[in-house]
Amino acid sequence: METEVLIVGAGPAGAAASALLSTYGIANVVINKYPSVSNTPRAHITNQRGVEVFRDLGLEGEVVKNATPQHLMGEHVYGTSLAGRELGRLRTWYTHPHFKAEHDLASPSAVCDLPQHILEPILLNAAAARGSSVRFNTELLTFTQDDDGVTAVVKDRLTGGRHEIRAKYLIGADGGNSTVVEQLGLPLVGKMGLGGSINVVFEADLSRFAEHRPGDMYWFIQPGVGHDGNGIGVLRMVRPWTRWIGVWGYDVAAGEPSLTEADGVRIAHQLIGDDTVPVKVESISTWAVNDVYATDNMKGRVFCVGDAVHRHSPMNGLGSNTSMQDSYNLCWKLMMVLRGQAAPSLLDSYREERLPVAKQIVQRAKKSDGLMPHLFMALQLPPASDAQALRDALDALDAPTPEATERRRAFDAALHATIMCFNTHGVETNQHYTSGAIVSDGTPDQAAPRDEEIYYFATSRPGRHLPHVWVTRDQHRVSTFDLCGRGRFTLLTGINGAAWRDAAELVSKRFGVPLRVHSIGRGCDYEDSYGDYQTMSEVGEDGVLLIRPDHMVAWRAASATEDPEATLAEVMAEILGR
């Protein structure tokens, strides 16, 4: 079998890569050693940048139809159990009015809760419908590469037969125990298996406990395995309010536990706090908390994406989103190289651009994990506290004494600090690049006015993500995002930018690369009805923004140059390695 790109793994990263490549018209085969997509909800938070990938693929409607929307995600309750005592609440996932405004200004798409077992079929169905060959029960054994391509030996796990797949490029999207990473010998930093967790997927009608305080997760302080022997149990909503995941810890030093359905019911009832609630266990599985990132993500014609090169805890919901964005960064570059529109050197920018992102999100998740022990410290709980010690600590929290006042202040401060386990809008939206596929406009770096881990920083500076604003056409609102993407470069210019349109036509013919052009302003292709584009673009009416297929600003000019064609040709040549 021969193809242009072989994708190993059909999780969010691999499924996204397959959908993108097939949409771009690039032949690809995706193999998955398992018999189906994920059979459990697993990853679930799909942030704005994640939804934007679906939007660019024309699949956002499927996401909205199948996901739990933002307004049902944000009441994050701390307590002793779902039916037990509440200890405090946070407004998470940007549902607080202050954060909601910033969330809505950053993107036309909204964060949502889309469980992985629903996310993957949306992408894979689109990939298959657009020409990808999707093969389950097919396991990668080995691969070799040469100057012209990659030869993979795969095993049919149903028949035991082996055969070869010859591809021009290979994408390793095979998760946290990646065969591709191991065989490539990519260097990894960090540790695996720092903690163990149990997932119990179950059905139970918990409406009376949850619908008046709708959230996607409820966290409970209980005695058990965790921070110094004190546990945080989690009830995670899969479908409001009848399908759930109960999360509880286990001691990795004691080995992976052998769990029965009765254990699943017990864990569910422990977290619910009411053992009269009927519970139907669907599945029980274990997973490990990791803290690992790769210091290289490619070698020759093989590229690694997703959990293969960044492995971390679920904190902040960055995993599947970053995995899909890895593929979003890589696939348009593969498309242009395979079509002869760009030199292979363009692919080196994948390393330059995504390695810092992988490191950042792993470190952010670790920081967020580190916020949890402060809750127990504020309660002054001794290690491995039992139920009585926890009750005593909570009773002491209520006492009308100066000592209890200080304890309450410490506990409330620790609780509210955990908002950084959820609301890291800047980490999600401010990912920016310095590479050979970005051309500087010569302006000095601009410092963000606020903490870039927390707050979105909108700028059109090269290497940053195109800011979203609403423009209008025929009286209908259109996001600047929807003017770009879909595998093509785009020029955005103003009312006096006709020279850029002429230049784009000539440069497009010269390089054989489609360059769409949109003018924005009075009487232009799109009206700047709110006046937001003029501010956001940071260029004059005769200036231009060059936007890559992945919505990143590749280059900008504040005003028209003496020879726009020569200027644009020079920029495109630098980006494409031509």
Side-chain angles (χ1 to χ4, degrees):
M1 179 185 295
E2 293 188 2
T3 188
E4 290 185 290
V5 181
L6 172 62
I7 302 164
V8 181
S18 184
L20 287 160
L21 290 171
S22 59
T23 301
Y24 299 157
I26 298 300
N28 66 93
V29 174
V30 55
I31 62 172
N32 187 23
K33 71 178 181 179
Y34 303 107
S36 69
V37 296
S38 174
N39 58 3
T40 64
R42 296 174 66 184
H44 62 119
I45 298 299
T46 308
N47 63 33
Q48 289 177 295
R49 290 289 185 251
V51 177
E52 286 163 13
V53 176
F54 285 97
R55 186 184 186 97
D56 195 43
L57 285 165
L59 300 173
E60 187 175 16
E62 288 293 303
V63 170
V64 172
K65 182 172 67 176
N66 287 280
T68 298
Q70 181 185 21
H71 72 274
L72 295 179
M73 295 170 58
E75 286 291 310
H76 185 83
V77 173
Y78 282 96
T80 57
S81 68
L82 191 63
R85 174 180 173 180
E86 254 195 44
L87 302 175
R89 297 190 197 183
L90 297 173
R91 294 185 182 96
T92 57
W93 307 123
Y94 320 111
T95 53
H96 187 288
H98 169 77
F99 282 111
K100 182 67 164 63
E102 301 217 353
H103 168 277
D104 292 352
L105 288 169
S107 175
S109 303
V111 62
C112 63
D113 190 304
L114 185 67
Q116 188 169 337
H117 71 293
I118 300 174
L119 177 152
E120 289 176 3
I122 293 174
L123 289 169
L124 283 178
N125 287 343
R130 298 173 189 185
S132 297
S133 175
V134 181
R135 293 173 172 256
F136 293 101
N137 290 304
T138 305
E139 181 180 4
L140 174 73
L141 298 178
T142 61
F143 63 88
T144 57
Q145 56 177 316
D146 52 48
D147 291 342
D148 300 316
V150 182
T151 302
V153 178
V154 303
K155 175 183 177 181
D156 185 322
R157 299 185 74 184
L158 294 178
T159 67
R162 302 184 180 196
H163 62 276
E164 292 185 350
I165 300 177
R166 177 69 175 174
K168 294 179 180 177
Y169 293 97
L170 185 149
I171 297 176
D174 49 343
N177 294 301
S178 171
T179 298
V180 178
V181 166
E182 181 181 359
Q183 292 191 19
L184 273 185
L186 295 183
L188 300 171
V189 172
K191 294 182 179 180
M192 298 278 282
L194 297 177
S197 290
I198 302 164
N199 274 9
V200 180
V201 182
F202 67 93
E203 291 183 4
D205 186 354
L206 304 182
S207 301
R208 70 183 187 274
F209 301 115
E211 63 184 359
H212 58 288
R213 45 181 183 170
D216 74 322
M217 286 187 287
Y218 302 79
W219 287 14
F220 310 120
I221 297 177
Q222 297 180 344
V225 176
H227 303 278
D228 288 329
N230 296 303
I232 290 284
V234 178
L235 273 179
R236 195 193 109 196
M237 177 273 299
V238 178
R239 277 290 178 262
W241 305 103
T242 58
R243 193 161 184 242
W244 301 82
I245 296 180
V247 185
W248 192 241
Y250 72 90
D251 184 1
V252 293
E256 187 173 323
S258 177
L259 299 165
T260 66
E261 182 178 345
D263 293 317
V265 172
R266 175 183 54 77
I267 291 170
H269 279 152
Q270 173 185 319
L271 298 172
I272 296 168
D274 183 346
D275 60 10
T276 68
V277 175
V279 168
K280 180 182 177 182
V281 173
E282 292 184 9
S283 66
I284 304 175
S285 59
T286 60
W287 52 278
V289 176
N290 301 314
D291 176 34
V292 170
Y293 60 89
T295 57
D296 200 0
N297 56 13
M298 57 180 284
K299 186 178 291 186
R301 290 175 170 266
V302 181
F303 306 84
C304 290
V305 296
D307 289 355
V309 284
H310 40 81
R311 311 166 189 178
H312 51 88
S313 83
M315 289 292 194
N316 303 101
L318 297 169
S320 61
N321 295 285
T322 307
S323 298
M324 291 187 290
Q325 290 160 44
D326 285 348
S327 296
Y328 196 43
N329 178 287
L330 174 63
C331 287
W332 70 267
K333 299 172 183 176
L334 283 171
M335 176 263 291
M336 289 194 165
V337 171
L338 286 164
R339 286 180 177 169
Q341 297 169 337
S345 59
L346 173 63
L347 298 173
D348 292 334
S349 66
Y350 172 70
R351 171 191 288 121
E352 298 168 315
E353 294 177 353
R354 296 306 293 178
L355 282 178
V357 173
K359 180 178 180 179
Q360 179 192 29
I361 65 163
V362 171
Q363 292 181 338
R364 177 62 256 171
K366 184 177 182 179
K367 286 181 191 176
S368 296
D369 277 329
L371 295 171
M372 303 311 300
H374 296 284
L375 292 168
F376 304 108
M377 293 164 61
L379 289 173
Q380 299 180 18
L381 280 171
S385 300
D386 57 21
Q388 186 59 51
L390 178 59
R391 284 194 293 269
D392 291 344
L394 294 176
D395 288 342
L397 202 63
D398 296 337
T401 64
E403 294 81 8
T405 297
E406 289 304 312
R407 189 178 295 192
R408 284 189 290 273
R409 286 174 180 166
F411 182 76
D412 290 344
L415 187 151
H416 287 286
T418 63
I419 193 68
M420 287 296 287
C421 297
F422 313 94
N423 285 25
T424 48
H425 200 212
V427 174
E428 298 169 15
T429 56
N430 290 333
Q431 296 177 6
H432 56 281
Y433 304 147
T434 301
S435 76
I438 300 294
V439 179
S440 172
D441 65 343
T443 60
D445 287 341
Q446 179 184 359
R450 299 179 295 175
D451 188 333
E452 280 208 67
E453 282 211 320
I454 303 174
Y455 300 103
Y456 172 50
F457 175 40
T459 176
S460 71
R461 182 175 180 79
R464 293 280 182 166
H465 196 284
L466 172 69
H468 152 71
V469 297
W470 294 109
V471 295
T472 61
R473 183 166 185 167
D474 299 329
Q475 302 178 358
H476 294 275
R477 291 199 315 174
V478 181
S479 171
T480 45
F481 287 10
D482 297 330
L483 306 183
C484 307
R486 294 172 178 83
R488 298 174 67 181
F489 278 87
T490 305
L491 274 78
L492 302 179
T493 189
I495 194 170
N496 294 325
W500 293 113
R501 188 182 297 273
D502 295 338
E505 183 177 353
L506 295 170
V507 171
S508 178
K509 290 179 180 178
R510 174 176 169 182
F511 285 90
V513 175
L515 285 172
R516 68 162 75 87
V517 182
H518 298 301
S519 59
I520 302 174
R522 293 188 184 277
C524 293
D525 299 333
Y526 293 87
E527 296 273 349
D528 187 16
S529 299
Y530 301 99
D532 292 334
Y533 179 79
Q534 183 177 7
T535 302
M536 175 278 286
S537 68
E538 300 174 336
V539 300
E541 291 183 333
D542 59 345
V544 70
L545 303 180
L546 176 63
I547 312 302
R548 301 191 331 187
D550 56 357
H551 286 140
M552 305 303 290
V553 181
W555 169 76
R556 67 181 179 181
S559 59
T561 62
E562 184 175 335
D563 188 344
E565 180 191 349
T567 301
L568 184 59
E570 183 179 351
V571 168
M572 291 298 295
E574 184 171 343
I575 293 169
L576 301 175
R578 299 275 292 276

